[in-house]
Amino acid sequence: MRTLDAAQIRASFTNVSLRERKAVAIPDLDAVAWDDIDYLGWRDPKMPLVGYVVTLVDDEPVGFLMRQAEQTPRRRTQCVWCADVTLPNEVVMFSTKRAGAAGRRGDTVGTYVCAQFECNRNARSTPRTAYLGFDVEAARQSRIAAFRATVERFARDVGATS
């Protein structure tokens, strides 16, 4: 992902009001390893059930506010975005309203995602050797590509205004 500043991040949000956009708690951007992420995801320190995600779609930043469901899954659930099978962290249901008129009508999209948005790290972890001759790096790159496509597809779905 390319480096973004606070103004670009605020301007990228597609499903928030102007008031909500101004209130977004931007994380410490100097601490972000931009080359190692496909989306920037963080939780709001003042509102524990709110998270923010910014990713690139057609090389343009697209951001959206997500709300965690108050109920946690009864069983361990796999993250839809990173599809990590070792589940090193908690996965929760997030929902987000769609952009534009659809969102104003109350249309939402939901998905299971790592609670603290650890997907970037999980997708890049080295997979176990499945069999003799298994190309670990090719498998890792394939996971990263699938992860990118899933996050981009979700962002496009949120941005769909019809």
Side-chain angles (χ1 to χ4, degrees):
M1 185 165 176
R2 73 170 192 260
T3 305
L4 301 172
D5 62 28
Q8 291 170 311
I9 290 171
R10 284 188 199 284
S12 74
F13 285 96
T14 61
N15 67 345
V16 298
S17 67
L18 186 57
R19 182 181 60 78
E20 289 172 316
R21 185 175 288 157
K22 289 179 182 177
V24 170
I26 304 292
D28 178 10
L29 300 177
D30 292 332
V32 175
W34 294 98
D35 292 336
D36 297 334
I37 64 172
D38 292 298
Y39 75 86
L40 175 63
W42 72 99
R43 300 298 288 258
D44 191 315
K46 295 180 183 174
M47 296 182 286
L49 296 179
V50 173
Y52 304 98
V53 172
V54 177
T55 190
L56 296 178
V57 175
D58 298 329
D59 205 37
E60 289 298 319
V62 174
F64 42 92
L65 179 147
M66 300 179 79
R67 295 192 191 283
Q68 178 184 331
E70 292 189 28
Q71 292 288 86
T72 56
R74 292 183 183 191
R75 296 186 202 149
R76 291 287 277 172
T77 305
Q78 184 176 17
C79 175
V80 172
W81 288 2
C82 66
D84 190 59
V85 295
T86 59
L87 296 171
N89 43 266
E90 186 178 1
V91 174
V92 296
M93 170 61 94
F94 278 102
S95 64
T96 184
K97 64 182 179 178
R98 291 185 190 268
R104 288 189 293 277
R105 286 192 310 268
D107 192 3
T108 61
V109 181
T111 190
Y112 286 100
V113 178
C114 295
Q116 298 300 322
F117 302 108
E118 300 97 336
C119 303
N120 288 299
R121 183 185 67 230
N122 295 344
R124 286 168 171 71
S125 65
T126 303
R128 294 186 181 136
T129 302
Y131 51 85
L132 190 62
F134 180 72
D135 189 342
V136 174
E137 185 56 25
R140 190 172 89 80
Q141 292 303 321
S142 177
R143 276 182 57 169
I144 293 169
F147 163 60
R148 283 181 183 146
T150 303
V151 173
E152 183 177 330
R153 190 170 38 254
F154 187 83
R156 287 182 188 281
D157 197 15
V158 170
T161 57
S162 56

